[in-house]
Amino acid sequence: MKIPPPDPAYGRLDELASAFANYAAMLDAALADAIGLSVTDHKALGLIVQQPGMTQRQLADQTQLTSGAITGLIDRLEHAGFVQRQPHPQDRRSVVLMPVADRIGAINHLYQPLSSAIQALDASYPAAQQRLIHQALGSLCDLLQQHTQRLRQDPQVRPSLR
């Protein structure tokens, strides 16, 4: 994998963050395709796996999808056997979304080589550098999340391209 050379108009970190985001999006598409899901369904499944027991509303809030789109998405994930709807423990009018362990376990082999490589890369750095890398990546994730919210919530941010 070749990282593009720096563009003088941008900072090197900006270039690397952009390249990282592009490679991550391509990986997401390949993983989604390998398990027979759309990229959106795959990313939503990832949220459910990371936060088992979330409600449909919580998933809609995190993905910024409408309630109708979320219902269809959950229906597809449930039909594919990746997710189950279960009664909410405190609110009988609601359900929580639970990943199906056997189905999630069956696709973990797709992630294992990358996970092992990331762990080996992390271990190749001294502890002080690991902490700095972890802090920088965490901060980058925060910035990406903030910018995503800004784009979704502020209609004046987006120019009219239609």
Side-chain angles (χ1 to χ4, degrees), residues 8-31:
Y10 299 102
R12 183 65 176 148
L13 183 59
D14 192 40
E15 289 286 330
L16 290 171
S18 180
F20 181 84
N22 288 335
Y23 289 127
M26 289 183 274
L27 175 64
D28 286 339
L31 288 167

Side-chain angles (χ1 to χ4, degrees), residues 117-139:
I118 290 170
Q119 289 175 27
L121 178 63
D122 191 42
S124 73
Y125 291 96
Q129 288 182 329
Q130 286 178 354
R131 284 190 296 278
L132 182 62
I133 292 166
H134 298 173
Q135 181 183 4
L137 286 174
S139 296

